[in-house]
Amino acid sequence: MKFLSLKASHYAALLFSKRDLSFSSKTQLSKPPIQKTFFKSSSKDGLISRLCEDKKYKEAIDILCDQKRLREAVQLLNRIQRPSALIYSTLLQCCLKERDLEQGRRVHDHIRASGFVPGLFIFNRFIDMYAKCGSLGDAQKMFDEMPDKDLCSWNTMISGYAKVGPVDEARRLFDEMPERDNFSWSAMISGYVRQDRPREALEFYRMMQKSQTFKSNKFTVSSALAASAVVPCLRSGKEIHGYIMRTGLDSDEVVWSALMDMYGKCGSIEEARRVFDKMGNRDVVSWTAMIDRYFEDGRREEGFALFSELMSSGIRPNEFTYAGVLNACADHAAEDLGKQVHGYMTRLGFDPFSFAASALVHMYSKCGNIENAKRVFKGMPKPDLVSWTSLIVGYAQHGQPNRALQIFELLLKSGIKPDHVTFVGVLSACTHAGLVDKGLEYFSSIKSKHKLNRTADHYACIVDLLARAGRFEEAEKIINDMPIKPDKFLWASLLGGCRIHGNVELAKRAAEALFVIEPENPATYVTLANIYATAGMWSEVAKVRKTMDERKVVKKPGLSWIEIKREMHVFTVGDMSHPKYNVIHEFLKKISKRMREEGYVPDTNFVLHDVEEEQKEQNLSYHSEKLAVAFGIISTPPGTPVKVFKNLRTCVDCHTGIKFISKLVQRKIIVRDSNRFHCFENGSCSCGDYW
DNA sequence: TTAGGGTTAG
């Protein structure tokens, strides 16, 4: 399972941070400008009852809706003799906003029972509410029942089918429409964008441009820019930019944001920044988009610096902002910074129902602080599927796979339906626990019990599980019978299993498949060579190395990093550039001697080169995770846990070595590698040597 | 007095 994916650009950022290791002083976040808390407003019950006594129901309903007390607001209907259209409209709008279909239906029932005859306006509100609450059937029924339809009814239907439902159905309606206007066109374009069909969105945009009757406006260009960003297509984005400048649409801030975001997503980050700098009215969306584009581009320092600037600008961050920054913290395992962001969120107030809260669970989970992840999760009034899944994955990767499975069972009891990502977490928990048969059961339940389609990820997980356990025949049967094409993750898992069990023949097949899919990935060559090396097949090792040279494949450098006092220290294999290198080296030399006395024997199988044993041992002692662990130990007081992060999987020898180190120095050593967490304590590891 | 746009996670 892909856990920590570092793109080439991320490497650049990490390597850059070797020279300038700390988050710059600008990144030290300043004091928050606003002190305000959501969900702590004093109860307005007294006022509401007074208003009801005075029969001022509309005002009472307004307050209840404002406080998200929709159920009570709808209940008030029973006390009103003849509710006005305005009251129904307010309630429907609130149902729509809260996506509360149940209350929406209750309003509908009330209208039917009361004999109120809805006009066009209320009909349109109903269509909108039903469609956006996900009940397209009801929306369609209302639409068909309407005695008269206006352009707005048609547009509401189109925007509801295109937004949440099948966009092709919206297209059918669009074609059937007696007349169209700008709303109809923009609803279609944005619908295609939302349904992840950006090329068709652009096609629609061009069709509109070509038609003489309709002119593009700020709505259609923003959607078209979003479509260009998703493709991504810089050329069409630039074309739209030109159109915007020619037609004066650049007076709108949303258009500017869309423009900036498009440049960022099309890889022109500098151009995005130029647009951002030129913007007259930057709002929280434009700030958030710019910050996220930096993170996406691996420019962590700039992203955090801009976030810090936002915090002092007086503009209040929203859940998108928090989610973006927290995810960057999660990716870079920057827990201290993540905690700081959490502190700001608590002080400024954040919606515990929102995905900012789930981003917190994710951040703590991925940084290995499962206790905090659990604490945040427990504080959520209604944890969403993402939070549940984050916690499951967190436990799975943190050496408590059985706990992960317990959480999954609790999720099922809560009534929330798991999706395919949840099952990736569940299957990976089984893998980490070595629960092969249990994993097979879950795998089969995805389709039979939960009625979900099994994805390539699920197949990769199950093959991983079987291959690690050495059950290659079953793994091969699943591969042969699967209805979808095996992907690179599946073959890589199989190859990994072959490495553990020294299955040379199957390894060759898996590697061949990988060479077709991604000939540029050095990991395949390295693993295959290691399998040959373990089997003593040195001529084959040489062949693999030759192929690597011919195809100009370069081995991905192993990187480990450690955060000490909010400063990031990055190490590569045999790294001598760190200012404290001498002390680190001295420490490693001394501890190696004590490790041998305790019975440690270096495992030299996993060194690619066919060199003398002694030299191989030398190479191993310089692996980046050992350097980072050593630096962590010498830089912190005795007893402090050491937390190290690695971009690749940890090697067998380092794994054994760190077990010894944890015992000798009496420290808890946590290593997050590209696949999971290893928690070393007193000579053993939480993964139970299963990774 | 209804319908259309930009930031988003496991």
Side-chain angles (χ1 to χ4, degrees), chain A residues 384-403:
Chain A
D384 60 355
L385 183 60
V386 173
S387 310
W388 281 97
T389 307
S390 294
L391 205 61
I392 291 169
V393 173
Y395 274 116
Q397 287 168 334
H398 214 264
Q400 298 184 54
N402 288 309
R403 183 84 189 113

Side-chain angles (χ1 to χ4, degrees), chain A residues 317-486:
Chain A
N318 66 12
E319 64 260 45
F320 289 92
T321 328
Y322 291 133
V325 178
L326 288 171
N327 286 322
C329 293
D331 281 342
H332 296 289
E335 191 192 342
D336 286 355
L337 202 63
K339 271 188 183 156
Q340 216 177 336
V341 176
H342 189 178
Y344 281 103
M345 287 167 69
T346 311
R347 262 185 280 174
L348 292 171
F350 67 100
D351 183 347
F353 288 90
S354 74
F355 49 69
S358 58
L360 270 176
V361 179
H362 170 56
M363 184 275 292
Y364 281 121
S365 245
K366 220 170 168 183
C367 288
N369 191 335
I370 199 77
E371 290 80 15
N372 271 8
K374 194 173 71 185
R375 206 166 294 142
V376 175
F377 181 86
K378 280 195 166 170
M380 292 174 79
K382 207 175 154 190
D384 60 355
L385 183 60
V386 173
S387 310
W388 281 97
T389 307
S390 294
L391 205 61
I392 291 169
V393 173
Y395 274 116
Q397 287 168 334
H398 214 264
Q400 298 184 54
N402 288 309
R403 183 84 189 113
L405 297 178
Q406 280 170 9
I407 303 274
F408 175 66
E409 296 300 331
L410 286 176
L411 161 71
L412 294 183
K413 273 190 199 149
S414 81
I416 296 180
K417 286 196 168 83
D419 70 0
H420 73 278
V421 189
T422 320
F423 277 104
V424 173
V426 168
L427 293 175
S428 90
C430 294
T431 304
H432 291 312
L435 296 168
V436 186
D437 293 314
K438 186 106 179 139
L440 284 168
E441 250 174 62
Y442 280 124
F443 179 71
S444 121
S445 80
I446 296 173
K447 205 173 165 187
S448 59
K449 192 172 157 196
H450 301 281
K451 312 287 175 222
L452 291 167
N453 284 329
R454 288 189 287 227
T455 65
D457 284 338
H458 299 144
Y459 281 98
C461 283
I462 204 75
V463 166
D464 193 17
L465 181 63
L466 290 166
R468 278 165 196 269
R471 288 162 66 164
F472 292 110
E473 272 181 32
E474 286 160 89
E476 279 192 276
K477 185 167 175 355
I478 284 185
I479 296 171
N480 292 335
D481 293 347
M482 62 193 273
I484 42 177
K485 221 177 149 195

Side-chain angles (χ1 to χ4, degrees), chain A residues 24-31 287 291 302-313 325:
Chain A
S24 64
S25 56
K26 273 190 290 180
T27 324
Q28 301 299 318
L29 307 174
S30 56
K31 267 203 146 180
W287 279 90
I291 292 169
E302 281 146 297
F304 284 131
L306 199 62
F307 175 63
S308 167
E309 237 180 272
L310 164 67
M311 295 299 283
S312 26
S313 74
V325 178

Side-chain angles (χ1 to χ4, degrees), chain A residues 640-681:
Chain A
T640 317
V642 173
K643 208 185 266 185
V644 164
F645 301 87
K646 195 185 173 180
N647 63 336
L648 307 175
R649 277 196 193 188
T650 188
C651 88
V652 174
D653 180 72
C654 284
H655 194 265
T656 315
I658 297 170
K659 278 202 258 183
F660 278 91
I661 296 175
S662 75
K663 192 176 175 189
L664 286 167
V665 300
Q666 278 301 302
R667 297 259 200 139
K668 198 172 178 178
I669 301 170
I670 298 158
V671 178
R672 184 184 96 174
D673 72 5
S674 59
N675 194 44
R676 61 164 299 149
F677 282 93
H678 300 267
C679 185
F680 300 91
E681 211 169 0

Side-chain angles (χ1 to χ4, degrees), chain A residues 529-540:
Chain A
N530 278 332
I531 293 169
Y532 283 136
T534 309
M537 299 161 71
W538 298 109
S539 60
E540 296 300 316

Side-chain angles (χ1 to χ4, degrees), chain A residues 411-606:
Chain A
L411 161 71
L412 294 183
K413 273 190 199 149
S414 81
I416 296 180
K417 286 196 168 83
D419 70 0
H420 73 278
V421 189
T422 320
F423 277 104
V424 173
V426 168
L427 293 175
S428 90
C430 294
T431 304
H432 291 312
L435 296 168
V436 186
D437 293 314
K438 186 106 179 139
L440 284 168
E441 250 174 62
Y442 280 124
F443 179 71
S444 121
S445 80
I446 296 173
K447 205 173 165 187
S448 59
K449 192 172 157 196
H450 301 281
K451 312 287 175 222
L452 291 167
N453 284 329
R454 288 189 287 227
T455 65
D457 284 338
H458 299 144
Y459 281 98
C461 283
I462 204 75
V463 166
D464 193 17
L465 181 63
L466 290 166
R468 278 165 196 269
R471 288 162 66 164
F472 292 110
E473 272 181 32
E474 286 160 89
E476 279 192 276
K477 185 167 175 355
I478 284 185
I479 296 171
N480 292 335
D481 293 347
M482 62 193 273
I484 42 177
K485 221 177 149 195
D487 67 357
K488 58 181 182 182
F489 298 109
L490 182 146
W491 291 118
S493 299
L494 187 66
L495 187 65
C498 293
R499 190 204 64 188
I500 298 170
H501 298 280
N503 188 335
V504 178
E505 279 315 302
L506 198 55
K508 267 199 237 170
R509 270 181 52 200
E512 282 307 322
L514 283 168
F515 290 149
V516 173
I517 301 172
E518 41 166 16
E520 71 288 349
N521 186 355
T524 313
Y525 299 86
V526 175
T527 312
L528 184 65
N530 278 332
I531 293 169
Y532 283 136
T534 309
M537 299 161 71
W538 298 109
S539 60
E540 296 300 316
V541 175
K543 268 191 211 160
V544 175
R545 288 184 58 192
K546 201 172 153 231
T547 319
M548 263 181 106
D549 289 342
E550 281 165 6
R551 295 184 189 170
K552 296 194 168 47
V553 180
V554 186
K555 202 178 156 188
K556 198 169 160 182
L559 290 179
S560 295
W561 62 100
I562 182 167
E563 195 181 16
I564 303 264
K565 290 181 190 155
R566 272 192 222 133
E567 235 180 85
M568 217 55 110
H569 299 261
V570 187
F571 297 88
T572 53
V573 188
D575 199 339
M576 291 165 78
S577 65
H578 195 274
K580 293 230 169 126
Y581 177 76
N582 286 340
V583 198
I584 297 170
H585 185 69
E586 225 16 70
F587 173 85
L588 280 174
K589 231 167 87 182
K590 270 191 204 152
I591 199 114
S592 294
K593 194 167 164 276
R594 287 174 62 201
M595 281 157 69
R596 274 160 211 267
E597 284 164 11
E598 288 283 321
Y600 161 77
V601 182
D603 183 341
T604 50
N605 277 338
F606 291 87

